[in-house]
Structures are given as C-alpha cells and as structure tokens.
Amino acid sequence: MPEQTSPDAGAPVTNGHRTNGHQQSGRSASAAPSGSNGHALDDGELAAAFGRPTGEAGPFAGHAGDRGATETDTRRRDRAGSREPSVALASAFGRPDGAADTLQRPADPRTGPEHTADDLWDGETTEHDPWRDPAAPVELGGPAVRERAPGPDRRAAGPRLSARELLFGRRVAPSALILLAVVALLVGAVGGVVGHLTAEGSDTLIDPGATLAQVDAGKERPAGSVADVAGRVVPAVVSIEVRSGTTGGTGSGVVIDTRGDIVTNNHVVSLAATDPRATLEAVFASGQRAAARIVGRDPQTDIAVVKVDLANPVVAQLGRSSDLRVGDGVIAIGSPLGLAGTVTTGIVSALRRPVRLDAESADANPVIDAIQTDAAINPGNSGGALVDSTGAVVGINTAIRTLGGTDSSGQGGSIGLGFAIPIDDVRTIAQSLIQTGGFAHTDLGVNAKSVTDGTSDGAQILNVRQGGPADRAGVLEGDVVTEVDDRPVASADELTVAIREHRPGETVTLGVVRAGRPLSLQAQL
C-alpha cells in the first residue's frame, strides 16, 4: 500500500515522483469504482478528493491578476489546473455521459483542444467578467428592481347623492337607513345623558342649606379709639353743597348748637354770598338734606356760619385748642371730593403756624394762626372738624400746603401738610357772627414785610397809618418788630396774628429794634 499523508503535511512522494496534491494509487482514475457502485473510500481517497491542495495556506489560491503573487503561487495554480476531478466528485456532480458542454476546466489547457475567447474559463474573459472570477471583490450596487412612484388615482368618483335621493331614491338599502337612524338616536341619547349628569354635577356646587359659622366679635373698641370717636362725631359733620347754574362746589361744616348753626369756611360759601342765583344745602350723615342760609362771614380768618332749620340736630362738642401739644393725636372728619363721612388720622405737627390764605378781595388780609397736622386733608375737607382723642373739636380744617404753595381752594392734594383754624379763635368769631353778623379785628395800623439780618428775624415797618395804634405808640418807618408781648415775631404774617390774638382796647408791648438799638413800646389797640 503506498504511503498516505495529510494534505497539510506537504506533497507526499510516491513511485519516485511528487503528485499534484493527491495520492496516486497506481490505478487509473477512470477505472476506479465510485462510492455509488459500492466501493467504500478510505481516508486517503477522501483527503485526495476533498482536502486542500498541498501547499495552499488558505481556502483560495492567488489570482493571476492579483498584485504581489509569487512565482510559486503561479506554479501551484498551473498544477491545480491540470488536475482531474476525483471519481467520487465526477460521479456525484459531473454531467451525464455524452453531454456536449461542461463547466469544468480542461484537464490540461496546454494539451487539450483549442478553445475560443468565448470559453467560460478563458483567462482573458475571466479577468473582465467578475461573475466568472472567484477572486472578484464584492461591491454594492443598486437594487435589482427599481421602486416605482405611486401613480395617480385613476379611480372614478361615484355620483353624490342628495338627501332626497338618499331617503326616497332607493339608492341606499332601507336597512342601512334604519341602522343610520338608530345610530344617530343612540348618539343623541348618550349626549343628553352626559349633559344631564354634567348639569347635576354643577348643581351640587350649590347647597341651599349651607350656613357659615358665626363667632363673637373679637375687635375691641375702647373709649377714645378712632372708631369710638368717629361714631360720635361723624353725625355732627355735614357736607355743604353750593350750586349756581352749571357751577358749584362742595365743602364740610360742623354743627355747633341745637339751633342748627353750622360753622364752616368762608371760601366754601362765598359763591352763595355773592351770587343771588346760588343755592346752599347741608347734607347730614343720615342722608337728610336741608336748605342753609348764611348767618355771617369773616374773610379775614376764613370763617363763616350758616343755619339750617332742623329740629334737634346732633351737635359737636367743642374743645380747647390751647390745651394741644405737638404730637397729640388728631382725627380729620369731612367730605373730601364729595365723599361724606371720611375719617383720617394724624398728629399735631406744629402749633401757632402763621398761614396766609387766598384773599377774597383787595382789602382782605386773610391770615390764620393755624394748627399744622399730617392728617390727610383734601379738597372738600374745608370747614370740617379736626378733633382730639376725646372727640372734642379742636380746629376747623381750612387749607393744605401743596408743592405749588398754600391752597385753600381745594385744587391740590394732601402731602401731609394740613392747616386748621384753632377752635378757640373759631368759637370767639362764630359767636360774634351769630350774635351780630360780623366780627371786629384788632389792627396795629401798619404795613410790614418780613426781614432777617442773619441772626434774627422780624417784621420791618414800611409805613404807619396816621392816628393808628402804632403811630400813637411812637413806631417809626424802618423799625423792626421782633416781639408782641411775650410772643416772638419772625415775619409780617406772624405780626398780624399776634395782634389779632388781642381784643380792641387792650394794650400790648412791642419789642422794636431801631437803628440797631432794642426798644420797648406800648400800643393800645
């Protein structure tokens, strides 16, 4: 038996020569019986039939066109091409006897019959046909079948049916119409049920039997509180309305006696005093209205008294402004901008503040010795009450200071600088107006201006009326008055209010500076 070796061990030598990758058994391959004829193949024949050719390291041999192929590779391909297939392969996969064509390479292209360029295994053809070249690389290409874009819908549209044709044209089966009607009724019924349930759900938000828990009042209002004072004083403060055609105005007033006398500001009722067509009404906190008549006016201090015919009105309690101190709490009550019964609070910011008001006429010299407060006073508060913590009226609200100056006409708004006439002055003047219809003011008989020398201020006399109190006291033009009795005088307005504090016939001591020398003069008013 000839020697058998593995195909990977190299080409075995048999009968003195090297085979072409197969063991030769000394018999003709054509005479060997096939496995199908009952001949069993031994291991050597299997290796010769299916094993890798001797000398090949991989599953494919190099191609003639491959770059880098060696001469040894070429010789191996030549030997592989001259090898005949084994009997087993030829029997299993070969063509039947007598077939003209074959896909097998010629046994020996060099000794075989001539072949043409159309031969399947022609070298030149193989190099240019990748389907015949086992070594051809794999490449990606387009799809085998192109995807066609969807064409237009060529389906013909059916005829549209009208409601008449649908119901009576017998174009739709009656059963379909009945089914459609039943579905519509079911949809409507479901919608109605849902709406009813929704309505019932909303009704549950309302509970006629619900009650809120009531608790006892936890707010204490002791005597002297703002609420307590306002409750007692507001009924005694009225709104005063003046109308003359299409013009008019509103203000406030305070009831000062049971006869129906009401004190207010002169500038509140001046239109009714000068225009015969004007009407004057007092509106009480209860809403009751009553016609008012002017009793008397004092333009020098902006005080007026009007009277209403009303039985048993609520009367305000009058206090003493001389008892006030800076920092005391005060409450302003009136009708700002026509809002009756408005209450604001504040403190006394200053006392004895000389404030010049708008003059009603050329001969008027309206100056008040005011109480300054930061309680909000606005247009319409004029003539209203300024009360202390006990509810006693201590002043009559008259003017405010705005960024444009002092305003008693109600054209500006509160910036926390309000002024009221002290009730001590109001009581005296109002009583005189009720009794006599007027009031006589004391007058020094001089014209003065405010001056300062950098160290002290005063009122410099510009002229002296002949035969007046100042002339009789020896006051000369150019003198600077710095005191009236014990009250310092720092301006011309302060000289005016200091003199008006006294009644006619009283004697006052004037502190005067003349040519740099202080003098003391006695003047009988």
Side-chain angles (χ1 to χ4, degrees):
M1 185 72 179
E3 181 182 359
Q4 301 293 331
T5 62
S6 170
D8 296 335
V13 177
T14 306
N15 298 331
H17 68 277
R18 185 180 298 272
T19 66
N20 189 21
H22 299 276
Q23 292 291 343
Q24 301 296 329
S25 61
R27 294 177 299 186
S28 174
S30 60
S34 66
S36 60
N37 294 329
H39 174 70
L41 300 178
D42 57 14
D43 293 341
E45 289 177 328
L46 290 175
F50 300 102
R52 183 179 298 164
T54 304
E56 296 296 338
F60 297 101
H63 190 268
D66 292 344
R67 294 182 180 179
T70 62
E71 183 179 354
T72 303
D73 296 333
T74 304
R75 289 197 300 269
R76 289 173 181 173
R77 286 195 299 270
D78 293 341
R79 289 195 299 269
S82 63
R83 185 172 64 236
E84 292 184 359
S86 66
V87 176
L89 289 177
S91 176
F93 302 103
R95 288 181 176 275
D97 294 338
D101 297 329
T102 178
L103 295 177
Q104 300 294 330
R105 288 190 177 91
D108 189 354
R110 293 169 294 183
T111 60
E114 293 294 331
H115 57 276
T116 65
D118 295 332
D119 196 316
L120 178 65
W121 300 106
D122 181 71
E124 296 181 358
T125 304
T126 304
E127 292 179 358
H128 299 286
D129 189 354
W131 293 101
R132 300 182 184 185
D133 184 5
V138 178
E139 296 182 358
L140 297 177
V145 180
R146 294 185 179 179
E147 297 181 359
R148 296 183 179 180
D153 188 1
R154 302 183 181 278
R155 293 177 297 177
R160 297 183 179 181
L161 302 179
S162 64
R164 181 181 182 85
E165 291 176 339
L166 181 65
L167 297 176
F168 308 108
R170 297 185 179 181
R171 303 293 294 273
V172 181
S175 60
L177 294 177
I178 295 174
L179 179 61
L180 181 62
V182 171
V183 171
L185 290 175
L186 289 176
V187 171
V190 171
V193 171
V194 172
H196 176 70
L197 295 177
T198 303
E200 284 187 349
S202 62
D203 290 342
T204 59
L205 299 177
I206 302 174
D207 185 2
T211 58
L212 299 179
Q214 184 176 358
V215 298
D216 295 335
K219 179 67 177 179
E220 295 183 0
R221 296 181 178 86
S225 65
V226 174
D228 173 65
V229 171
R232 290 187 282 112
V233 179
V234 166
V237 179
V238 301
S239 297
I240 295 179
E241 297 180 357
V242 182
R243 294 286 181 269
S244 177
T246 59
T247 62
T250 61
S252 304
V254 180
V255 180
I256 56 175
D257 60 35
T258 56
R259 295 185 301 271
D261 291 320
I262 300 173
V263 65
T264 185
N265 285 137
N266 176 64
H267 70 264
V268 172
V269 299
S270 59
L271 177 62
T274 57
D275 188 350
R277 301 173 303 170
T279 61
L280 186 64
E281 280 189 323
V283 183
F284 289 81
S286 62
Q288 184 178 2
R289 290 176 173 269
R293 295 169 296 168
I294 298 176
V295 176
R297 303 185 302 137
D298 181 28
Q300 302 291 352
T301 56
D302 198 22
I303 295 175
V305 175
V306 298
K307 184 178 180 63
V308 295
D309 294 329
L310 186 66
N312 299 320
V314 178
V315 178
Q317 177 185 358
L318 304 183
R320 295 178 59 89
S321 57
S322 58
D323 294 336
L324 287 176
R325 298 293 181 268
V326 174
D328 286 348
V330 290
I331 303 171
I333 303 174
S335 304
L337 304 177
L339 303 175
T342 299
V343 177
T344 60
T345 63
I347 63 169
V348 175
S349 303
L351 295 170
R352 307 180 78 174
R353 177 80 72 190
V355 176
R356 179 170 293 275
L357 307 177
D358 296 333
E360 184 183 74
S361 60
D363 59 346
N365 185 28
V367 181
I368 61 174
D369 198 18
I371 302 169
Q372 181 180 325
T373 178
D374 66 348
I377 297 175
N378 288 285
N381 272 116
S382 296
L386 183 70
V387 302
D388 61 14
S389 58
T390 67
V393 178
V394 293
I396 298 298
N397 301 319
T398 300
I400 58 175
R401 179 67 60 87
T402 64
L403 297 179
T406 302
D407 185 4
S408 60
S409 60
Q411 300 302 315
S414 174
I415 59 173
L417 298 174
F419 304 100
I421 304 173
I423 197 63
D424 292 348
D425 297 338
V426 173
R427 182 187 293 106
T428 301
I429 297 172
Q431 185 170 328
S432 176
L433 293 177
I434 293 172
Q435 293 175 350
T436 65
F439 182 78
H441 289 280
T442 54
D443 184 23
L444 188 59
V446 298
N447 291 325
K449 69 175 182 178
S450 302
V451 294
T452 181
D453 62 359
T455 58
S456 61
D457 303 325
Q460 186 178 31
I461 305 302
L462 297 178
N463 54 68
V464 179
R465 186 175 68 246
Q466 186 176 4
D471 183 40
R472 295 194 301 268
V475 177
L476 303 179
E477 294 181 2
D479 289 348
V480 178
V481 180
T482 58
E483 285 184 344
V484 175
D485 285 343
D486 294 331
R487 177 172 180 170
V489 174
S491 65
D493 290 341
E494 196 159 8
L495 175 61
T496 300
V497 297
I499 294 297
R500 287 179 180 174
E501 287 181 348
H502 301 275
R503 301 276 62 84
E506 294 183 0
T507 300
V508 296
T509 301
L510 303 177
V512 177
V513 176
R514 180 180 297 168
R517 294 185 300 112
L519 299 175
S520 181
L521 304 176
Q522 300 293 318
Q524 184 177 12
L525 303 176

